[in-house]
Amino acid sequence: MSATPWQIADIPGPKQAHVLRVEMFPKIAKTLKRPLMVVGSRKEAFEGNDLEKYIVELAKLMNSPLVVSPGLCKNFINFKDIKVICMGIEDLINRLKDKDWKGFDDEGNYDAVIFIAGIYYFQSLMLSTLKHFAPHLKTFSIDRFYHPNAEFSFENMSEKRWIQEIKSLVGMMKSSLH
Amino acid sequence: MATKLSINELKSSFANIKGLELLIGKIIEEEWDEIVGPTPYPSIIDLRAWDHRLLNRYEPFYSPLCDMCCLCTFGKCDLTKGKKGSCGIDIKSQQGKIVLIACLMGAACHATHARHLLDYLIKRKGRDYPIHLGEEIDLEAPLTRLVAGIKPKKLGDLEEVLDYIEKQITHLLSATATGQEANYIDFESKALHAGMIDNLALEVADIAQISALRFPKGDPEAPLVDLGMGVVDKSKPVILCIGHNVAPGSEIINYLEKEGIYGSVEVAGICCTAHDLTRYSTGAKIVGPLSRQLIFVRSGVADVMVLDEECIRTDIIEEAKKVGTRVIVTTDQLCANLPDMTKSPVDLIVKEIASGNTPAVFINNPAKVGEVAVKVALEIAPSRRASTISEEKEILNAVLRCRACGRCRRNCPADLPIDDAVSAARDKNLDLLAQIYDRCLNCARCESDCPEHIPIVSAIRVAAMEKIRNEKYKVRSGRGPIKDTEIRNVGRSIVMGEIPGVIAFVGCANYPNGNKELVEMADEFAKRRYIVLASGCSAMDIARYKDEDGQTLYEKYAGDFDAGCIVNTGSCVSNAHIMGAAVKIANIFAKRKLRGNFEEIADYILNRIGAVAIAWGAQHQKAAAIATGANRLGIPVILGPQGAKFRRAFLGRQDKKEKWMVYNARTGEKVYAGPAPEHLLYVAETKEEAMVTAARLVMRPNDTSKGRMIKLSHYIDLHQKLYGMIPDDFHLFVRNESDLPITMKDQLLKILKERKWEPVEIPDPTLLERQIVRME
Ligand code: SF4
Ligand code: SF4
Ligand code: SF4
């Protein structure tokens, strides 16, 4: 594990993400009032595991709708009891950066965005937009890459280790709620 | 800009003059009676009001690739968290500045390329050589007529257009210096101007070469030519041309023909020079796009490599020297610290190069390059040192040194699992490396950071050897412009929306997942009877795949500008004909005047012509310029995920109703026309998103109900097929019930009711107040 940008040259500037450890997240999550979980289109991340299931569980535990990048919508549309929004990520980021956006429920913008399974270089730039132009939002990356443009990010880790971490995150979130 | 002095009649002691027009020392005959519109040869502020209209609806969206600025000695300045640089600039304006600089790099490349070509062609054919694009093409230069306001008749007429272009580039570049332009909106207005200038330069370059060289002239049945890594016959001497300027390559062919030996020497190309070589002669071959450059050069198959300009790897000369390939650089854009032998006698140059004393030289004379390249190739081919089996073994042995550190992957722009592939190769499994070959961009960033100095790209080549040998495809040679007659045939159906749209695949090869996705997209749209166009590396990559019948898309679909066809317009500069087709529709079908009338035509295209470009692998600054120029003309562009690194998109907000008001030209009333087209420049993360977005962006306020029904049915169908559901936003595109696809009408009406949908009128849409006056 290391907290250097996954793509070695992706060094944006002096402001880089705080390292996020799994055990920190449940506590932080409790402070979030309107979180939004965003699933990117890194299709390989979904091979040979039940990642969709864990993502849906996490979103439910946070009481967050789930925005899914169009390339992966089909993997999510059959889940029940969760609002799945199929939307281009750039379009979404453009709305999130507008403080006055009404959100998907007309109740206003969100206070935190949690990203997972994005294509690294694309995700990095979308996080950069939010870092610069959305001071009203906290951004988290729980992907398997250290994303310097997030406010909090997991460190780099292997795919296998990452799935384990996501599983334990779900477990910790559950016990922190009970 | 040129000052025009008209003399109706002058009688003096030395001459009697009647009906003369002088244009900066040059005499032009004025034979075009179309009245001059408001903006001939627009300055950098003449179209600012139009830009601001566009930018108000499609606001710039920035994704800074770097948080700092280091453009002057006050820097570095950190621009995060609302901080300003020492010069007072904030991050938005700094990003606008960087985008403008990128567009200017692109525009300058095309302008320089056009100037080189024009100088060369004028030298060969003379200033009076006619501009002639073939039968059924009277509207020879739509962008030149539109922007410059002239109707060029001879090669020499294009010189003043280039003078104008060069002046605009200087003024725009000046505005990027510290202490000049201050606001991101005006940086973007200037970027839009740079884009328009770029598009104009494309047209100048292509109409000059189509007229003066023997290129296809708008021929839908332009010949099918060979393309692929496996098409070069290694048993012959091989000359490889890389770049964009066909002048030296065409002279190679001229010399071979003159000597009667064309056919016994292979002339092949990489990147757009290759397209243009096959337009010049069907005997030439296309190796592939930019993404095949390094692997092919490393194969050592080329005896001589001739470099001209743009998209040439900076280290390609070093790479060529390693395998014994001789190099000739040919333009002032790439001199590479090589000795200038332009003025030396041919025999001496050939001796120097062939002997290896001076294996790489600079010759700034296309005809001389032609002769030298052929003579050197003939001389050294028998002793060519193409890679041997033992070298290949050595390359594979190198992978044994891999220590699985993963740095290769973390340097790969496409995030390819190259570390796993090298590890597998260490265990004698080459399959993963061979798979990477299809997606690899040939950038070599992986190997340049490998602590074990493993020649990773060469390993990919060796692993994929079988594939490479069998890479033999057919591509239709670039036909250039669209015929006026074709525009007459389909103009109405496009404007009314009955042909669902025109989709152009343009730009470079920096794809997220190789070229196959591009082929799949083009195939799907052609099957659905959109008009599909292609140019540049994308036009090549569409050919790099065969279906189950062993055919490429160019063999499967006809090359007409018509529903369900695929047109290869040609090289990067042939992008001009894609924009040109939209302009032609406005003129030929709708009878809108072109001359110096940019704003009205752009307004027409934005509101009425369902054309969208997909630049799935946009990489070069030229792509930024071309796309930005298309945007100013009202044509939306979708980029692949790497395109986010251009740092700027132009995005609409469908949830903000006030942004989608247009004038109804019939009444002057402001009416809601729906979010069509929703974005001007949008980055899609996946192929699925690009396709659905394209089907949405072809919708235009002017669509008739029949046309909107057809467009909507494709949008909804693609959405269902690729996303698994009916789109959430389809109601925004329904103006009245007749817009609904018949087969789904009941189901959709139910949803409309739930969403409290109300019908709206279909306006005669325009963003320009003066168009209302026109209608009155
Ligand atoms: S141009 Fe401005 S922001 Fe950039 S380094 Fe100089 S002072 Fe800093
Ligand atoms: S960088 Fe070199 S040593 Fe490291 S994993 Fe890649 S190939 Fe192996
Ligand atoms: S050469 Fe290919 S594998 Fe290596 S970094 Fe570039 S794209 Fe990735």
Side-chain angles (χ1 to χ4, degrees), chain A residues 71-85:
Chain A
L72 274 166
C73 283
K74 276 185 167 174
N75 296 32
F76 287 88
I77 47 178
N78 292 327
F79 284 98
K80 303 267 177 288
D81 312 325
I82 178 107
K83 186 175 169 78
V84 174
I85 299 126

Side-chain angles (χ1 to χ4, degrees), chain B residues 412-413 416 418 436 440-446 457 460:
Chain B
C412 177
L416 300 178
I418 186 73
I436 294 256
C440 172
L441 310 166
N442 261 226
C443 73
R445 216 159 77 183
C446 48
V457 177
I460 294 172

Side-chain angles (χ1 to χ4, degrees), chain B residues 44-64:
Chain B
I44 62 175
I45 51 171
D46 283 350
L47 292 165
R48 185 168 173 256
W50 171 249
D51 299 337
H52 282 233
R53 267 196 184 94
L54 287 180
L55 296 166
N56 175 41
R57 187 195 272 181
Y58 304 103
E59 286 182 29
F61 168 97
Y62 294 113
S63 305

Side-chain angles (χ1 to χ4, degrees), chain B residues 317 321 327-329 335-344 349 352-353 357-364:
Chain B
I317 299 172
K321 281 183 180 168
V327 182
I328 306 173
V329 301
C335 304
N337 197 25
L338 296 176
D340 184 353
M341 300 197 79
T342 309
K343 298 216 161 73
S344 307
I349 313 175
E352 275 297 300
I353 304 178
N357 274 349
T358 316
V361 302
F362 173 40
I363 308 175
N364 189 17

Side-chain angles (χ1 to χ4, degrees), chain B residues 274-288:
Chain B
H275 266 307
D276 287 347
L277 282 173
T278 68
R279 294 165 87 188
Y280 188 67
S281 162
T282 51
K285 293 174 176 178
I286 300 175
V287 171

Side-chain angles (χ1 to χ4, degrees), chain B residues 548-567:
Chain B
E548 54 285 0
D549 301 323
Q551 287 190 316
T552 70
L553 293 189
Y554 293 103
E555 293 165 288
K556 192 166 155 189
Y557 296 102
D560 304 78
F561 185 75
D562 203 348
C565 299
I566 298 188
V567 175

Side-chain angles (χ1 to χ4, degrees), chain B residues 119-431:
Chain B
D119 286 351
Y120 163 73
L121 295 172
I122 285 178
K123 209 166 152 197
R124 274 192 54 197
K125 309 268 180 177
R127 282 204 162 72
D128 290 339
Y129 193 85
I131 289 177
H132 178 58
L133 294 228
E135 302 312 315
E136 301 170 41
I137 300 182
D138 289 334
L139 212 179
E140 72 305 292
L143 298 176
T144 304
R145 289 191 188 196
L146 178 68
V147 178
I150 67 159
K151 180 174 166 182
K153 299 178 77 76
K154 304 175 206 143
L155 287 180
D157 295 344
L158 297 173
E159 288 182 302
E160 69 168 72
V161 183
L162 282 181
D163 291 344
Y164 161 74
I165 289 171
E166 287 158 355
K167 180 173 166 191
Q168 297 309 299
I169 290 171
T170 309
H171 283 216
L172 290 166
L173 187 57
S174 157
T176 66
T178 307
Q180 302 272 58
E181 188 51 78
N183 182 277
Y184 72 100
I185 290 290
D186 272 309
F187 272 120
E188 294 298 355
S189 166
K190 289 180 167 67
L192 290 164
H193 192 68
M196 182 193 73
I197 290 300
D198 171 272
N199 294 179
L200 183 61
L202 302 177
E203 183 173 273
V204 169
D206 215 32
I207 64 173
Q209 61 181 0
I210 292 171
S211 298
L213 301 175
R214 52 197 197 199
F215 284 18
K217 291 179 157 65
D219 180 6
E221 288 171 21
L224 290 165
V225 295
D226 291 328
L227 178 148
M229 297 279 281
V231 297
V232 175
D233 182 349
K234 297 183 213 162
S235 68
K236 298 177 185 171
V238 176
I239 303 174
L240 174 71
C241 300
I242 307 181
H244 288 69
N245 182 346
V246 77
S250 64
E251 291 286 5
I252 292 168
I253 294 171
N254 291 347
Y255 183 77
L256 288 166
E257 285 176 342
K258 189 175 101 203
E259 295 298 307
I261 50 171
Y262 191 32
S264 56
V265 174
E266 288 281 81
V267 181
I270 288 180
C271 226
C272 285
T273 285
H275 266 307
D276 287 347
L277 282 173
T278 68
R279 294 165 87 188
Y280 188 67
S281 162
T282 51
K285 293 174 176 178
I286 300 175
V287 171
L290 181 68
S291 62
R292 304 290 97 170
Q293 190 172 161
L294 188 58
I295 282 194
F296 189 79
V297 169
R298 280 195 184 172
S299 73
V301 166
D303 296 300
V304 178
M305 184 169 83
V306 175
L307 305 177
D308 54 83
E309 53 198 297
E310 303 161 35
C311 298
I312 297 160
R313 272 190 72 88
T314 308
D315 60 355
I316 207 72
I317 299 172
E318 269 168 60
E319 292 284 346
K321 281 183 180 168
K322 281 188 211 157
V323 291
T325 297
R326 308 301 201 264
V327 182
I328 306 173
V329 301
T330 60
T331 75
D332 57 14
Q333 297 299 298
L334 169 62
C335 304
N337 197 25
L338 296 176
D340 184 353
M341 300 197 79
T342 309
K343 298 216 161 73
S344 307
V346 167
D347 290 346
L348 175 74
I349 313 175
V350 172
K351 198 169 152 210
E352 275 297 300
I353 304 178
S355 66
N357 274 349
T358 316
V361 302
F362 173 40
I363 308 175
N364 189 17
N365 174 335
K368 199 174 237 180
V369 171
E371 185 175 350
V372 170
V374 172
K375 287 185 166 164
V376 173
L378 288 170
E379 193 166 327
I380 68 166
S383 51
R384 182 192 305 150
R385 240 192 85 252
S387 69
T388 59
I389 292 178
S390 70
E391 275 166 347
E392 283 157 14
K393 272 198 183 138
E394 204 180 300
I395 289 166
L396 289 183
N397 278 340
V399 304
L400 299 175
R401 300 199 296 268
C402 176
R403 50 167 131 128
C405 69
R407 290 189 76 84
C408 45
R409 172 163 184 182
R410 292 181 60 188
N411 272 287
C412 177
D415 200 21
L416 300 178
I418 186 73
D419 50 346
D420 294 342
V422 176
S423 297
R426 199 180 44 189
D427 300 331
K428 305 270 178 272
N429 173 5
L430 297 182
D431 293 351

